[in-house]
Amino acid sequence: MDFDTIIIGAGAAGMMCAAYSGGRTLVIDHAKAAGEKIRISGGGRCNFTNLGASSANFISENPHFCKSALKRYTQWDFIDLITKYKIAYHEKTLGQLFCDESAKQIVAMLLSEMDKAGAELWLKTSVRSVRYEAGLYHIASERDGKQVALRAKNLVLASGGKSIPKMGATGFAYDIAQQFGLALTDIRPALVPLTFADQRYAPISGVATPARATANSVAFEEAVLFTHRGLSGPAILQASSYWKEGDVVSLDIDPSRTLFDTLRLARREQGKRDVSTILAQQIPARLAQHVVEEFAITGRIGDQSDKALEALCNRLRHWEQRPTGSEGYRTAEVTLGGIDTDGVSSKTMEAKAQKGLYVIGEAIDVTGWLGGYNFQWAWSSGWAAGTAIAADLNQT
C-alpha cells in the first residue's frame, strides 16, 4: 500500500503532524486508542500548553534548536485552535492551561483535524521493520494478525521516548533513527520523583510544603511532597530534569525569608513553647517534628539564641538531600535527551542526511519543563514537520 507520508505514533506530535502534512497520510500505532498520554495527562484534563512557553523552558544539548518551531507555531496558535472547537479552558497556576471538562476533547479535536486533512489512522498496528530503497520507505507491518507491506516517500518518527512503559512506550524511535545514521544523546527519566534507599521520609509520607528545590544551580519554587520512597511534588519533578545520580538537591523550606523574624517574635511572645511547636505554626507539624529530630534541636523557643535560630533557618534554607535514585521511566512524565538535534533541521524536523525522514515530539532531544511545555513542543514540532512535508509534496 502506497502513501505519501507514514507517521509512526498516534500521540500529540504525530496527530498534529498528520493534520498538516497533506497528501495521502497514514498514522499507525500499536495502541488500542490514539492520544492515550493526552487522555491521562493533567488528571484527565490535559495541561495542553503554557501561556509563557518559550525556548527558555526547554532542555537540549542545543538550546537553540527548538526556537524555530516554537516561534512559528506558538501557544497562541494552539489556543486559537481549541477556541475554534469551543473547548473551554482555564489557567491553573504559573501559566498552565487545562481543559475545563476533559482531555478527551483535545484527542477528539486532533482526530477531527486529521479527518479533515484526509489522514488515515491504523491502531493496533505494529511495525516489524523499516528499510529505504529507491527513494521510498518500505515498512513491514502487522495489522489484525495480517502482514501488511507499506511504502511511503516520507517517514515521521513520532513514537515518543521511554517514559510510562505501561502505556506502551518503547525506544522504537531511537532504534529506527540509529538505523538511518542519526545519533542519540544520553537519555534518562525526567520530571520524575527522587528516591532514597533508606526511605528516610516514610514517617512523614504525604506531607507537602512550599519550597525551592535546586539541582545543579537550577531552582524551582513550588510544592515539595515527602513520600514513602523519597521526594516528589512539582518543585522536585522540575529539579529532577537537572539532577543526576550522586548529585545533591538542595531544599529551601523558607523561600520567603520570613522564618527568622517569625521565630524571634515567637521567642518573645511564646517563649515557653517547644521549638517544634513554634515551627509547626510555619510548616506542617509532622515536617516540623522531623526537622527538630534530624537537626537535634531541643528545648523551648525562649531558650534559643539569635545564633541558634539563624543556624536553624540556614539549615532549612540549604537542606541538602542526596537521592540514591529516581522512580525511573515507570513514573517519569518525559524522557530527557533523545535523537541528537545535530542531525535534524530545526525548520523542517527532517534528518539532514536522510531524505524524507522526520523526527518530532519527545523522541528528539528537546525536553520541556513541567507545566504544558512538552505538549507545546509536540504541537510546534508536529506542525513544523507537517507543513514542511505538505510544502514539499506541493512542489513535486
Side-chain angles (χ1 to χ4, degrees):
M1 298 184 69
D2 290 343
F3 294 87
D4 293 306
T5 303
I6 292 176
I7 300 170
I8 301 176
M15 289 193 285
M16 191 70 174
C17 182
Y20 290 93
S21 57
R24 191 174 181 205
T25 295
L26 172 66
V27 181
I28 59 179
D29 200 299
H30 61 190
K32 295 178 181 178
E36 282 293 85
K37 268 195 174 182
I38 300 173
R39 183 182 61 79
I40 68 164
S41 68
R45 293 195 176 182
C46 187
N47 178 193
F48 56 82
T49 192
N50 194 292
L51 292 174
S54 75
S55 61
N57 308 113
F58 292 85
I59 306 166
S60 173
E61 288 193 3
N62 177 2
H64 301 292
F65 180 85
C66 64
K67 290 180 178 179
S68 175
L70 290 171
K71 284 181 178 178
R72 289 182 297 129
Y73 191 91
T74 70
Q75 58 269 44
W76 309 109
D77 293 312
F78 193 76
I79 290 168
D80 285 345
L81 180 60
I82 69 163
T83 300
K84 186 172 74 173
Y85 277 81
K86 296 181 170 56
I87 298 174
Y89 64 91
H90 60 279
E91 180 184 356
K92 190 173 181 181
T93 184
L94 300 173
Q96 301 166 12
L97 300 187
F98 288 78
C99 298
D100 283 356
E101 295 180 24
S102 172
K104 293 178 182 178
Q105 294 174 287
I106 301 292
V107 177
M109 177 192 74
L110 292 169
L111 289 172
S112 175
E113 288 291 290
M114 284 174 55
D115 188 58
K116 287 180 184 178
E120 293 185 50
L121 173 63
W122 288 7
L123 297 169
K124 294 187 282 187
T125 302
S126 57
V127 175
R128 297 305 183 195
S129 66
V130 178
R131 63 187 174 85
Y132 186 72
E133 184 178 301
L136 292 174
Y137 290 92
H138 297 254
I139 299 171
S141 69
E142 184 175 318
R143 186 187 190 205
D144 297 329
K146 297 178 181 179
Q147 305 296 316
V148 183
L150 302 168
R151 294 190 304 184
K153 178 182 178 183
N154 303 302
L155 177 64
V156 183
L157 302 180
S159 56
K162 291 186 173 183
S163 56
I164 319 183
K166 70 179 180 181
M167 300 197 69
T170 69
F172 176 83
Y174 307 146
D175 296 338
I176 300 300
Q178 287 182 303
Q179 177 185 331
F180 288 106
L182 290 171
L184 296 185
T185 68
D186 290 337
I187 61 168
R188 56 191 173 89
L191 299 182
V192 63
L194 301 177
T195 59
F196 297 85
D198 59 8
Q199 298 187 345
R200 66 187 63 180
Y201 294 120
I204 59 171
S205 177
V207 170
T209 188
R212 183 183 293 117
T214 303
N216 287 306
S217 302
V218 183
F220 295 92
E221 189 172 332
E222 283 189 80
V224 167
L225 173 68
F226 295 86
T227 71
H228 186 80
R229 289 169 52 82
L231 296 168
S232 188
I236 293 296
L237 297 184
Q238 296 276 42
S240 74
S241 295
Y242 296 87
W243 173 87
K244 292 182 179 178
E245 284 76 3
D247 290 346
V248 166
V249 174
S250 178
L251 296 184
D252 181 353
I253 308 298
D254 179 33
S256 63
R257 295 296 185 266
T258 59
L259 185 59
F260 179 64
D261 289 339
T262 301
L263 294 178
R264 290 186 71 197
L265 180 63
R267 183 179 61 189
R268 187 167 67 245
E269 297 182 350
Q270 305 175 65
K272 294 182 179 180
R273 294 196 170 193
D274 285 344
V275 174
S276 61
T277 303
I278 298 301
L279 204 55
Q281 296 171 0
Q282 307 302 317
I283 62 176
R286 284 197 292 156
L287 177 57
Q289 186 61 41
H290 179 92
V291 164
V292 296
E293 290 175 3
E294 179 174 327
F295 296 176
I297 297 169
T298 58
R300 299 178 302 178
I301 189 70
D303 298 328
Q304 309 299 317
S305 65
D306 278 359
K307 186 176 181 180
L309 294 180
E310 281 183 353
L312 170 58
C313 291
N314 282 333
R315 289 195 69 177
L316 286 173
R317 291 168 184 166
H318 306 281
W319 192 9
E320 290 196 347
Q321 314 287 324
R322 198 178 292 274
T324 52
S326 79
E327 293 287 4
Y329 290 115
R330 181 178 64 87
T331 60
E333 294 200 18
V334 291
T335 303
L336 187 73
I339 297 166
D340 196 326
T341 60
D342 281 354
V344 179
S345 164
S346 63
K347 182 178 180 182
T348 65
M349 311 305 294
E350 184 180 15
K352 294 175 181 177
Q354 179 64 43
K355 179 66 177 172
L357 181 65
Y358 295 78
V359 185
I360 58 176
E362 189 183 343
I364 200 163
D365 176 31
V366 175
T367 306
W369 289 2
L370 184 72
Y373 300 102
N374 286 294
F375 275 127
Q376 184 56 49
W377 174 245
W379 317 138
S380 297
S381 62
W383 175 91
T387 53
I389 290 168
D392 184 61
L393 291 175
N394 288 336
Q395 290 176 357
T396 56

